[in-house]
């Protein structure tokens, strides 16, 4: 069962990328985030935090560990809903 | 990539990147020149600098070791293999990007053309996927030591690097290098400038083919004799350009404008590339010479504040009304300085001027007057150096909150009174209304609102327009402004100072964006859609297209604190990606948030993709 699940997942993933749908949604999310000022706000949030303790010993991993929760939580709810709708549409169209 | 303004000013030499690695080795890159063992010691200010230089241009010490293994012959092949693998990896990533963008541009998902293209694509290029989990969409990385491809999301690439004792991998989609010894991404300027950047530039050029073509520019590759000149007659300087200016008695209005010019990438490129050298200029009180001296001082490495007294003196002598120690308006000074620099340039002319001021700031406004009787449109053109925007006075603003904006609703909703009545019938009307009112009040105070008002059709008075088509009789008419030709640097003045019965200052906060899309305000756009009221919908439904040719980015903001007649000017400017606050001699680091929260008096934007070709 889990083997076929993995296969299904791989097949959907493949179609998602190769159809260009992933790239389209990525572009969509990027634009919507920029529109709502999410990038700027997150940048300000992070630099505020580094102001206090300096930027030494910061790596991609520590950044992700520290700010991922805040970053996800601060995404406008509408964007999440819109994205979910579009993903569902893609799945409906491609699963039968 | 579309050339960025900053990179033009900053990049001394840009290699033209041949497609194969061997050819690259023949034409000397800026890195070869800087690191050449033949350079005289006088080229470096210290021995330490000579040593540090190579390390500074490498992403991390591990990559530095990898790239500079000249001394150990047995490792030389390692180095070349690494370089070759990196080139192949970048090529694969870019080829995939191009292929995917062609899939996307070829129609809908279920389009047969598209699936055909996809099939072709699959045959030509191996589909990149994680060797461990088979998935395609999880941040793929290529190992730069073998042919492993793995994803980061499930840590397959990290596991691979650790297990095989490999050090470097490249992010497949953005060509960033990951170092497992640093366990972080690293920025290798040399590899980026010599390999990644030229390849990306070629990709963007390829993807843009057929569209409005970008004028060409030629990279400068120094000849052998030029190289010798550079290394024997000059010496390396560390990065500079941040220096405070002393206040010489109410001269903060000048200091903020000078800083805004010093951080203007186009003016900076012009003067730092020696296009006007004050040592060879014979003119007296020449403003171009003063600009040249200013740049020389700001980039001299001297840290103590600089007093631009010769600049002030030359301005005083050129413009009598500025002379004296009175407080002046920064915007007036800005315009006077631009006119003076223009007048003192070698290549100035009355129309279609190619001087640095006009190349940088000049745009063209179109004013259309439509006769309401016969519908005849007459156009007039006005050159502009900046745009001055009216603010809503505070008391008028209150009116706007309670009443719907006339221009906004008239067309769409018919009778505005009726609609407000309708709303009241719904139970939540109060909440709704206050919500919309608050939102409108907020929105009415942004730079784009000011631009909307600036380009809104305006009814002319009864006796203001005589229509040529209606036998030169006075007719009711509508006038509308639009931007016919956008400048490279767009400067806005927000008219905070009112000269009515009594002079007052409007303190309203005006929101302004980091990136500004000017497309809705162009004449071309207005002609295309036909209707001005579409502007709002353009903004909300199409977020700024970041590859759009009309997108600008903020680089300097001038602020005024205090009252109308007694106040102080400060400014923010972006220098190498970092914001600084300039308060006369006092310079501090700043953040984008502080800049956007400030009550701007002037804003300076630069086009994200520059147009070449004139001048």
């Amino acid at each position: 069962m889990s083997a076929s699940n993995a296969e299904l997942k791989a097949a959907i993933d493949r179609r998602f990328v190769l159809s260009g749908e992933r790239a389209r949604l990525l572009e969509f999310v990027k634009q919507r985030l920029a529109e709502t000022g999410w990038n700027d706000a997150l940048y300000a949030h992070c630099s505020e935090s580094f102001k206090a303790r300096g930027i030494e010993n910061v790596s991609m991993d520590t950044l992700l560990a520290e700010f991922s929760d805040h970053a996800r939580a601060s995404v406008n709810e509408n964007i999440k809903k819109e994205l979910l709708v579009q993903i569902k549409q893609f799945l409906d169209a491609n699963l039968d | 990539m579309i050339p960025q303004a900053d990179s033009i000013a900053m990049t001394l030499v840009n290699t033209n990147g041949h497609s194969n690695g061997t050819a690259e080795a023949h034409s000397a890159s800026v890195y070869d020149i800087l690191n050449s063992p033949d350079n005289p010691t006088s080229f470096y200010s210290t021995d330490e600098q000579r040593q540090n230089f190579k390390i500074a241009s490498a992403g991390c010490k591990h990559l530095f070791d990898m790239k500079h293994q000249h001394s150990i012959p047995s490792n030389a092949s390692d180095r070349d293999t690494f370089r070759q693998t990196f080139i192949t990896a970048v090529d694969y990533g870019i080829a995939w990007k191009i292929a995917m963008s062609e899939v996307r541009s070829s129609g809908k998902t279920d389009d047969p053309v598209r699936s055909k293209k996809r099939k072709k694509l699959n045959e030509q290029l191996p589909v990149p996927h994680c060797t461990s989990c088979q998935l395609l969409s999880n941040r793929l990385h290529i190992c730069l030591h073998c042919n492993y491809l793995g994803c980061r999301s499930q840590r397959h690439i990290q596991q691979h690097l650790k297990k095989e004792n490999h050090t470097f991998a490249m992010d497949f989609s953005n060509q960033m290098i990951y170092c497992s010894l640093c366990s972080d991404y690293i920025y290798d300027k040399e590899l980026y400038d010599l390999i990644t950047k030229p390849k990306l530039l070629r990709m963007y050029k390829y993807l843009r083919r057929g569209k409005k073509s970008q004028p060409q520019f030629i990279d400068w590759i120094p000849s052998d004799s030029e190289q010798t000149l550079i290394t024997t007659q000059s010496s390396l300087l560390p990065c500079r350009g941040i220096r405070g200016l002393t206040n010489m008695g109410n001269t903060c209005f000048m200091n903020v404008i000078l800083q805004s010019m010093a951080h203007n990438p186009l003016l900076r490129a012009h003067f730092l590339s020696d296009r006007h050298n004050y040592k060879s200029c014979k003119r007296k009180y020449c403003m171009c010479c003063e600009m040249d001296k200013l740049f020389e001082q700001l980039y001299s490495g001297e840290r103590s504040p600089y007093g631009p007294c010769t600049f002030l003196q030359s301005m005083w002598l050129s413009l009598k009304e500025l002379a004296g120690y009175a407080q002046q308006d920064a915007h007036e000074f800005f315009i006077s300085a631009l006119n003076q620099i223009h007048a003192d340039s070698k290549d100035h002319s009355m129309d279609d001027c190619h001087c640095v001021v006009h190349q940088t700031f000049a745009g063209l406004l179109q004013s259309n007057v439509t006769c309401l009787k016969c519908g005849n449109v007459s156009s007039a053109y006005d050159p502009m150096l900046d745009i001055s925007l009216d603010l809503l006075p505070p008391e008028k603003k209150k009116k706007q909150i309670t009443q719907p904006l006339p221009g906004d609703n008239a067309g769409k909703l018919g009778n505005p009174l009726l609609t407000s009545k309708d709303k009241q019938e719904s139970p939540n009307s109060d909440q709704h209304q206050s919500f919309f009112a608050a939102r409108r009040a907020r929105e009415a105070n942004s730079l784009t609102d000011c631009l909307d008002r600036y380009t809104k059709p305006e009814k002319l008075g009864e006796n203001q327009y005589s229509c040529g088509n209606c036998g030169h009789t006075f007719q009711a008419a509508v006038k509308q402004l639009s931007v016919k030709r956008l400048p490279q640097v767009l400067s806005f003045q927000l008219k905070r100072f009112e000269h009515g019965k009594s002079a007052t200052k409007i303190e309203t906060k005006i929101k302004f964006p980091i990136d500004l899309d000017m497309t809705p305000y162009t004449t071309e756009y207005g002609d295309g859609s036909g209707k001005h009221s579409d502007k709002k919908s353009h903004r909300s439904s199409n977020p700024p297209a970041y590859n759009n040719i009309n997108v600008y980015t903020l680089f300097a903001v001038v602020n005024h604190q205090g009252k109308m007649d007694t106040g102080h000017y400060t400014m923010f400017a972006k220098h190498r990606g970092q914001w600084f606050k300039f308060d006369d001699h006092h310079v501090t680091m700043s953040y984008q948030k502080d800049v956007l929260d400030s009550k701007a008096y002037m804003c300076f934007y630069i086009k994200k993709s520059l147009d070449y070709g004139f001048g």
Side-chain angles (χ1 to χ4, degrees):
Chain A
M1 190 64 200
S2 75
S4 72
N5 252 345
E7 267 169 38
L8 183 65
K9 195 178 170 189
I12 294 172
D13 180 76
R14 205 181 167 84
R15 171 137 346 159
F16 187 51
V17 173
L18 294 183
S19 63
E21 184 69 2
R22 179 176 185 269
R24 192 185 71 80
L25 287 182
L26 210 60
E27 192 60 29
F28 164 79
V29 172
K30 272 187 193 164
Q31 288 198 347
R32 293 284 284 121
L33 287 177
E35 217 182 32
T36 54
W38 180 82
N39 307 27
D40 291 347
L42 186 62
Y43 182 87
H45 177 81
C46 297
S47 50
E48 200 63 35
S49 143
F50 293 134
K51 229 195 244 177
R53 57 188 172 135
I55 56 160
E56 287 76 32
N57 302 321
V58 174
S59 74
M60 189 69 177
D61 289 327
T62 56
L63 268 177
L64 283 173
E66 201 168 329
F67 295 110
S68 285
D69 287 344
H70 172 86
R72 287 206 185 89
S74 57
V75 173
N76 185 314
E77 283 301 320
N78 285 339
I79 300 181
K80 294 184 190 169
K81 280 181 204 153
E82 288 165 33
L83 185 63
L84 201 61
V85 169
Q86 302 217 32
I87 294 175
K88 274 186 182 152
Q89 273 173 3
F90 170 79
L91 286 176
D92 286 345
N94 288 280
L95 280 176
D96 32 33
Chain B
M1 196 182 312
I2 299 163
Q4 296 277 315
D6 242 14
S7 63
I8 294 160
M10 285 303 171
T11 317
L12 187 67
V13 183
N14 205 346
T15 56
N16 69 339
H18 301 281
S19 51
N20 52 34
T22 46
E24 271 164 16
H26 290 301
S27 68
S29 75
V30 64
Y31 296 96
D32 295 331
I33 299 173
L34 293 173
N35 293 328
S36 163
D38 308 332
N39 290 346
T41 42
S42 61
F43 185 58
Y44 305 93
S45 34
T46 57
D47 270 357
E48 204 188 338
Q49 194 188 29
R50 184 176 198 140
Q51 281 311 310
N52 283 346
F53 200 79
K54 284 185 193 171
I55 302 174
S57 61
C60 67
K61 60 180 189 300
H62 312 112
L63 188 52
F64 170 79
D65 290 341
M66 177 60 116
K67 287 197 301 189
H68 299 276
Q69 289 165 337
H70 299 271
S71 48
I72 318 161
S74 64
N75 284 346
S77 66
D78 258 15
R79 188 190 73 224
D80 292 340
T81 320
F82 173 78
R83 197 185 162 85
Q84 206 49 56
T85 318
F86 180 68
I87 291 173
T88 315
V90 173
D91 279 340
Y92 184 17
I94 287 178
W96 184 253
K97 234 181 216 183
I98 292 175
M100 285 308 288
S101 98
E102 292 193 332
V103 166
R104 277 186 71 195
S105 60
S106 64
K108 283 191 187 129
T109 324
D110 44 3
D111 193 331
V113 180
R114 192 160 171 173
S115 51
K116 213 177 185 181
K117 259 211 170 144
R118 197 162 67 223
K119 220 174 222 168
K120 207 173 130 206
L121 171 79
N122 291 354
E123 284 157 16
Q124 284 170 346
L125 268 183
V127 175
H129 62 273
C130 176
T131 316
S132 301
C133 68
Q134 309 299 320
L135 295 184
L136 280 66
S137 60
N138 280 343
R139 291 219 166 267
L140 292 174
H141 287 62
I142 301 182
C143 177
L144 293 175
H145 303 260
C146 64
N147 58 5
Y148 180 85
L149 225 113
C151 68
R152 183 187 157 84
S153 308
Q154 300 197 33
R155 304 194 60 81
H156 289 140
I157 185 71
Q158 288 101 318
Q159 285 161 12
H160 164 83
L161 293 174
K162 202 171 170 193
K163 198 174 121 214
E164 302 292 330
N165 222 356
H166 290 162
T167 316
F168 302 105
M170 187 196 84
D171 186 311
F172 186 74
S173 59
N174 60 21
Q175 292 85 40
M176 290 286 296
I177 302 171
Y178 179 83
C179 169
S180 66
L181 296 174
C182 300
S183 52
D184 203 359
Y185 292 91
I186 51 174
Y187 304 87
D188 189 285
K189 201 158 165 17
E190 183 179 350
L191 285 179
Y192 178 76
D193 281 351
L194 299 186
I195 297 171
T196 320
K197 194 172 155 192
K199 286 184 189 300
L200 282 173
L201 278 170
R202 266 205 308 278
M203 175 186 89
Y204 283 103
K205 199 172 148 193
Y206 176 77
L207 290 178
R208 286 180 66 86
R209 71 195 187 280
K211 292 183 189 154
K212 196 175 164 187
S213 68
Q214 286 260 313
Q216 292 300 301
F217 62 97
I218 303 161
D219 292 314
W220 173 55
I221 301 161
S223 65
D224 287 352
S225 61
E226 281 171 331
Q227 276 181 44
T228 319
L229 261 176
I230 292 170
T231 50
T232 55
Q233 301 296 316
S234 63
S235 61
L236 273 176
L237 290 176
C239 306
R240 275 157 192 176
I242 297 288
R243 191 176 176 187
L245 298 173
T246 25
N247 192 325
M248 299 172 292
N250 286 338
T251 55
C252 54
F253 69 90
M254 176 175 77
N255 290 349
V256 292
I257 294 304
L258 293 189
Q259 292 287 8
S260 84
M261 292 181 172
H263 291 93
N264 183 324
L266 295 185
L267 295 184
R268 182 179 61 203
H270 180 89
F271 286 102
L272 285 185
S273 62
D274 223 16
R275 296 285 291 276
H276 184 103
N277 190 323
Y278 73 89
K279 283 171 187 148
S280 55
C281 177
K282 300 277 187 298
R283 288 174 71 106
K284 235 183 162 186
Y285 307 121
C286 165
M287 291 308 291
C288 291
C289 291
E290 295 304 333
M291 285 300 287
D292 195 37
K293 282 184 208 162
L294 176 74
F295 275 101
E296 186 186 75
Q297 286 298 329
L298 293 182
Y299 281 83
S300 66
E302 188 65 50
R303 281 164 181 237
S304 57
Y306 169 63
C309 40
T310 58
F311 195 104
L312 187 65
Q313 191 196 12
S314 298
M315 275 305 278
W316 280 1
L317 289 162
S318 327
L319 278 154
K320 296 284 178 290
E321 60 269 28
L322 274 178
Y325 287 98
Q327 298 199 357
Q328 301 284 346
D329 179 63
H331 178 255
E332 270 174 46
F333 178 82
F334 171 64
I335 296 297
S336 317
L338 289 189
N339 286 330
Q340 216 49 51
I341 295 168
H342 154 76
D344 289 341
S345 320
K346 277 195 298 282
D347 39 10
H348 78 274
S349 66
M350 281 306 281
D351 54 19
D352 197 22
C353 178
H354 285 175
C355 79
V356 62
V357 167
H358 285 92
Q359 275 191 43
T360 309
F361 294 100
L364 195 65
L365 281 176
Q366 178 168 344
S367 151
N368 279 352
V369 178
T370 314
C371 173
L372 289 180
K373 194 180 172 206
C374 65
N376 182 43
V377 180
S378 64
S379 304
Y381 301 96
D382 264 321
M384 63 171 209
L385 287 176
D386 74 327
I387 297 179
S388 291
L389 296 168
D390 284 311
L391 306 187
L392 291 174
E395 59 280 2
K396 244 192 199 163
K397 195 187 80 201
K398 268 183 202 144
K399 238 186 193 170
Q400 299 269 10
I401 293 174
T402 46
Q403 279 179 11
L405 279 173
D408 237 19
N409 285 346
K412 288 177 228 156
L413 302 171
N415 188 345
L417 278 175
L418 193 76
T419 48
S420 59
K421 226 182 212 169
D422 282 350
K423 269 188 197 152
Q424 267 162 21
E425 279 162 23
S426 73
N428 294 334
S429 69
D430 281 352
Q431 256 183 346
H432 264 273
Q433 210 131 10
S434 61
F435 170 75
F436 282 117
R439 199 173 135 175
R440 179 157 293 149
R442 255 205 326 275
E443 283 179 351
N445 287 321
S446 72
L447 185 71
T448 39
D449 288 312
C450 294
L451 274 166
D452 282 344
R453 286 197 292 272
Y454 186 74
T455 53
K456 205 167 71 180
E458 176 198 355
K459 229 174 170 176
L460 292 179
E462 280 297 306
N463 294 324
Q464 272 185 307
Y465 177 68
S466 127
C467 178
N469 214 29
C470 302
H472 294 284
T473 53
F474 285 110
Q475 296 297 341
V478 167
K479 180 184 151 182
Q480 182 171 17
L481 285 177
S482 57
V483 186
K484 173 87 177 153
R485 196 182 67 230
L486 283 161
Q488 308 299 315
V489 171
L490 191 53
S491 141
F492 293 106
Q493 178 207 14
L494 299 165
K495 292 202 223 160
R496 294 195 174 274
F497 303 108
E498 277 217 313
H499 302 273
K501 279 177 209 150
S502 62
T504 49
K505 186 184 167 195
I506 305 171
E507 285 282 4
T508 320
K509 159 106 186 67
I510 301 295
K511 263 179 87 169
F512 49 97
I514 283 289
D515 289 327
L516 174 69
D517 186 358
M518 285 297 288
T519 311
Y521 311 105
T522 55
T523 310
E524 215 177 10
Y525 180 81
D527 289 349
S529 70
K531 273 182 210 138
H532 183 89
S533 56
D534 286 359
K535 239 170 234 176
K536 272 251 152 66
S537 60
H538 167 87
R539 271 226 312 276
S540 50
S541 63
N542 304 328
Y546 288 97
N547 52 356
N548 192 307
I549 202 103
N550 296 326
V551 175
Y552 285 75
T553 188
L554 186 71
F555 72 89
V557 174
V558 169
N559 295 288
H560 180 263
Q561 285 98 30
K563 293 204 188 81
M564 177 86 198
D565 44 355
T566 54
H568 182 54
Y569 283 108
T570 57
M571 65 94 62
F572 294 99
K574 204 174 198 175
H575 182 80
R576 311 187 109 219
Q578 169 70 48
W579 285 99
F580 289 90
K581 183 177 183 178
F582 293 84
D583 182 351
D584 288 332
H585 59 276
H586 200 64
V587 184
T588 45
M589 288 245 277
S590 194
Y591 292 90
Q592 179 170 309
K593 191 171 168 291
D594 306 326
V595 180
L596 294 182
D597 285 347
S598 69
K599 289 182 179 173
Y601 174 50
M602 293 172 74
C603 301
F604 296 88
Y605 285 87
I606 183 158
K607 234 180 182 185
K608 280 201 157 179
S609 64
L610 293 180
D611 303 329
Y612 296 92
F614 61 99

